[in-house]
Amino acid sequence: MDVRVKICGLTTPDQALAAAAAGANYIGLVFFARSPRNLTLVQACDVALAVPPGVAKVALTVDADDAALMAILAALPVDMLQLHGHESPARVAEVRARFGLPVMKAVGVATEADLPALDSYARVADQVLVDAKPAPGADLPGGNGLSFDWRLIARRRWPCPWMLAGGLRPDNVAEAIRLTGARQVDVSSGVESAPGVKDTEAVAAFIAAARGK
């Protein structure tokens, strides 16, 4: 199956090269101080420059203002912005128009009551990331290793492409794809040996499992 895979939270050039070699379509770079995967602009530039052509470089930010976004774009080559905070649909549309890059908006899902937000964001974003909603009081908006009931979004469609995230691992990604019909998946903590440390073998296993190999 032609499933596109995003490996998020890469922290070294070697990790990026390994993910690309394993077949990743997207590489995620995290700019969020509380995350164990957080990068400085210099570190992120080193990782981004190691990414081969054809692999999209995604900058993940959380409620970033225009100055922070401008600093990222001035420091390194970026193909897409991922907004992973409490950005409103209006803010998503503003970022998309102001910076001229595709924007992916992460939307947390825990219950059916969270689904209408997906419709709202799908009308203004280039892509939506359907993620597990973090527990109340969680330090991180994503990358917590949590999943949600995939049946909530089984075979649903939105006006823009979407990506499934939240608690995915090499041993469950195929089932998640089967239940949801996802054509794109995102993983971070599910392929790590420690927070922020990607396991090369797990990355390769995840990508193979997502594609039914």
Side-chain angles (χ1 to χ4, degrees):
M1 185 186 296
D2 184 23
V3 173
R4 295 172 65 80
V5 178
K6 177 168 171 276
I7 307 297
C8 196
L10 296 165
T11 55
T12 68
D14 286 347
Q15 289 180 11
L17 284 169
N25 303 100
Y26 304 85
I27 299 297
L29 306 171
V30 174
F31 299 92
F32 183 56
R34 294 205 300 271
S35 172
R37 306 164 191 96
N38 182 56
L39 297 173
T40 66
L41 293 177
V42 172
Q43 290 170 329
C45 187
D46 288 342
V47 177
L49 292 176
V51 177
V55 179
K57 298 172 287 295
V58 182
L60 186 160
T61 65
V62 179
D63 299 317
D65 59 19
D66 286 355
L69 294 175
M70 289 175 64
I72 292 168
L73 298 182
L76 62 142
V78 171
D79 300 302
M80 178 179 287
L81 294 170
Q82 178 176 332
L83 307 183
H84 213 106
H86 297 93
E87 299 90 356
S88 67
R91 175 59 176 161
V92 173
E94 178 184 41
V95 169
R96 187 169 178 262
R98 182 163 296 174
F99 294 98
L101 284 175
V103 174
M104 178 188 295
K105 177 67 179 91
V107 181
V109 172
T111 70
E112 192 168 353
D114 299 311
L115 299 182
L118 285 166
D119 297 321
S120 298
Y121 284 107
R123 288 192 286 269
V124 294
D126 294 279
Q127 297 201 37
V128 288
L129 180 75
V130 187
D131 201 358
K133 180 179 277 189
D139 285 338
L140 304 178
N144 293 298
L146 300 175
S147 60
F148 63 96
D149 185 351
W150 297 317
R151 293 171 296 182
L152 288 170
I153 61 166
R155 307 297 162 182
R156 287 177 60 92
R157 294 293 179 267
W158 292 278
C160 67
W162 65 281
M163 187 177 290
L164 180 66
L168 299 179
R169 307 181 304 271
D171 63 350
N172 69 7
V173 66
E175 177 69 359
I177 290 168
R178 186 186 71 80
L179 286 174
T180 64
R183 301 302 300 270
Q184 301 191 109
V185 291
D186 182 328
V187 65
S188 184
S189 62
V191 291
E192 290 181 342
S193 57
V197 181
K198 294 295 184 282
D199 182 305
T200 300
E201 292 184 2
V203 168
F206 182 90
I207 294 172
R211 294 176 179 152
K213 296 180 180 178

